[in-house]
Structures are given as C-alpha cells and as structure tokens.
Amino acid sequence: MRPKMLKLVITFHTTAAAMAMEKFCKEENVPGRLIPVPRELTADCGMAWCAPVEAAARLRALAADHSLEYEGWQELLV
C-alpha cells in the first residue's frame, strides 16, 4: 500500500468543472490528478483534483484565470 502524504484536495460542484481543472492543469504543467472524493469529504460530483500542497498558489491562480467554480480546498492525508 502506498504511504499517505499531505495533499491539496479540491472538490467541485460539477464533473465539468473537475474535468476543466484537469484540462487547464495539463496545459499549464501544474501537477495533480483527478481522484474520487475521499470519504472524509463530500462533493456534488464525486471527483476531486489532488495536487501537492506546494502547488496551491498556482492552482488558485489557474482557477481564478479560468473562472472555475469549486466547492472547497482541503489539505488531507491521501
């Protein structure tokens, strides 16, 4: 089993927003990946973006630049 590490988990209201985050992050080479929402959290669409905590500033700027609506930002052991 993979050891758990502290990660930034961004949840979304819609699957479209989660997939848009994936698209924009790939275009800008921002690290992360789509994951199922961890049990500790709830989200409307069931998908979340998981990234290193150090990428938080880049992710916030990316979300603002593209007007991406998200549900929440949490730091969790994932």
Side-chain angles (χ1 to χ4, degrees), residues 2-9 35 38-41 50 53 74-78:
R2 185 173 48 160
K4 293 189 176 196
M5 299 178 66
L6 187 63
K7 298 281 186 172
L8 176 64
V9 177
I35 63 168
R39 292 179 193 220
E40 297 90 347
L41 306 175
C50 179
V53 175
Q74 294 83 21
E75 291 183 11
L76 292 175
L77 287 176
V78 178

Side-chain angles (χ1 to χ4, degrees), residues 7-65:
K7 298 281 186 172
L8 176 64
V9 177
I10 306 168
T11 54
F12 301 91
H13 293 289
T14 65
T15 302
M19 294 177 77
M21 177 64 92
E22 179 182 43
K23 175 185 177 235
F24 298 134
C25 285
K26 284 184 178 184
E27 288 173 357
E28 300 288 327
N29 286 334
V30 177
R33 65 187 175 99
L34 282 177
I35 63 168
V37 174
R39 292 179 193 220
E40 297 90 347
L41 306 175
T42 59
D44 294 334
C45 78
M47 296 175 79
W49 186 255
C50 179
V53 175
E54 300 81 30
R58 288 181 69 194
L59 287 164
R60 286 191 186 277
L62 188 77
D65 290 347

